[in-house]
């Protein structure tokens, strides 16, 4: 017999945690798989478009901006258009696009620019990335809604 304070809804805490983990395991798996795909794509882009020390990190900027634009399109589609499978949003949004966008590299790039004696360029990069990423997600969401509204008429 268990003590009443250790039970919630008739399920022992350890059993409830195992049940919650089982329910979330597919989400964790698709986020991990999507994250791996997104990170590989980001790394390939960085290899294809290397940035010399002290120069503006265009590859990271465009990775983040394009990832934010894709997130804007995705969120409109999965929240307003499709009856998407419950794992699609975590796979594409959190996984693929979360792995593709690289705000940690953004921070490292800013530090590298400052360390290379280019604090003005670092500050410009900081502001440009933030402004461009927010603009990308907003404009991609708006453009997707507009395109879908035009198709329905």
């Amino acid at each position: 017999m268990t003590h009443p304070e250790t039970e919630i809804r008739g399920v022992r805490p350890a059993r409830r945690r195992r049940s919650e983990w089982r329910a979330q395991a597919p989400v964790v798996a698709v986020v991990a798989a999507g994250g791996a795909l997104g990170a590989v794509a980001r790394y390939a882009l960085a290899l294809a478009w290397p940035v010399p020390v002290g120069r503006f990190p265009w590859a990271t900027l465009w990775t983040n901006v394009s990832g934010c634009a894709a997130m804007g399109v995705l969120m409109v589609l999965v929240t307003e258009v499709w009856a998407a499978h419950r794992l699609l949003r975590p796979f594409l949004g959190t996984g693929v696009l979360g792995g593709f966008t690289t705000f940690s590299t953004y921070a490292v790039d800013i530090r590298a620019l400052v360390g290379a004696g280019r604090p003005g360029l670092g500050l410009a990069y900081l502001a440009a990335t933030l402004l461009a990423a927010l603009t990308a997600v907003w404009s991609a969401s708006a453009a997707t809604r507009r395109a879908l509204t035009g198709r329905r008429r």
Side-chain angles (χ1 to χ4, degrees), residues 17 24 68 114-115 120:
R17 280 191 297 271
Q24 292 301 313
C68 285
V114 171

Side-chain angles (χ1 to χ4, degrees), residues 39-113:
V40 166
R42 172 180 28 93
Y43 185 66
L45 185 59
L47 289 177
W49 198 356
V51 178
V53 174
R55 298 296 198 139
F56 195 89
W58 289 105
T60 305
L61 175 82
W62 290 117
T63 297
N64 288 333
V65 171
S66 64
C68 285
M71 182 63 76
V73 171
L74 174 68
M75 294 313 295
V76 169
L77 294 176
V78 300
T79 61
E80 300 174 22
V81 178
W82 299 333
H85 187 279
R86 75 178 189 94
L87 298 177
L88 181 68
R89 189 166 151 182
F91 174 72
L92 291 176
T94 307
V96 174
L97 294 175
F100 181 68
T101 56
T102 174
F103 288 93
S104 59
T105 301
Y106 162 65
V108 170
D109 288 343
I110 293 167
R111 187 173 180 172
L113 287 169

Side-chain angles (χ1 to χ4, degrees), residues 140-151:
S141 297
T144 302
R145 282 188 191 99
R146 204 168 26 256
L148 292 170
T149 301
R151 282 184 58 213

